[in-house]
Amino acid sequence: QVQLAESGGGLVQPGGSLRLSCEASGTIFSINAMDWYRQAPGKQRELVAAISRGGTTNYADSVKGRFTISGINAKNTVYLQMNSLKPEDAAVYYCHGLIRTMDVGGGVKVAEYWGQGTQVTVSS
């Protein structure tokens, strides 16, 4: 019932910038929170940034001051502005949402959804 679609990944040199987008679509009654995770090869998936529908944000220490999460309320879309990118930022970035939607029986449920990911490569 809900899909998350990421976009904006690509190849960037160290010190460069990228802006990721995540659009939620489907039967959405409300979005409680949306987050960005990332996973590099051989590493666990980690939380990068989070934003609640009230606008509260949270960041991993490794990206504070460089990344900014925004959006969520206007178009069911969240953004991740990534500046001063480092090689260690390279990963597949996944959008995650805690979303109130309609279940298969016609009721209301709150469920977690994941996007398919977008690749961010940081290399010289």
Side-chain angles (χ1 to χ4, degrees):
Q1 289 185 286
V2 175
Q3 290 182 306
L4 304 180
E6 304 102 330
S7 62
L11 174 64
V12 65
Q13 295 186 26
S17 297
L18 286 173
R19 184 176 177 87
L20 306 183
S21 300
C22 174
E23 181 180 0
S25 61
T27 304
I28 299 171
F29 299 140
S30 65
I31 298 176
N32 291 345
M34 294 184 74
D35 322 298
W36 286 98
Y37 287 75
R38 67 187 181 189
Q39 187 167 24
K43 298 183 65 177
Q44 294 183 330
R45 189 171 299 187
E46 64 174 344
L47 178 66
V48 176
I51 186 168
S52 72
R53 62 183 172 185
T56 301
T57 59
N58 191 35
Y59 298 93
D61 288 342
S62 60
V63 307
K64 284 183 178 178
R66 300 188 297 119
F67 291 11
T68 303
I69 188 169
S70 63
I72 197 172
N73 291 322
K75 303 292 184 181
N76 291 334
T77 300
V78 66
Y79 304 95
L80 185 67
Q81 178 67 45
M82 305 186 295
N83 298 325
S84 302
L85 282 161
K86 304 174 181 179
E88 50 263 44
D89 295 319
V92 177
Y93 282 71
Y94 296 92
C95 182
H96 168 265
L98 185 64
I99 297 171
R100 180 184 289 260
T101 187
M102 183 176 291
D103 65 24
V104 67
V108 177
K109 68 177 181 180
V110 177
E112 296 181 67
Y113 296 92
W114 291 92
Q116 294 299 306
T118 184
Q119 177 71 54
V120 172
T121 302
V122 185
S123 176
S124 300

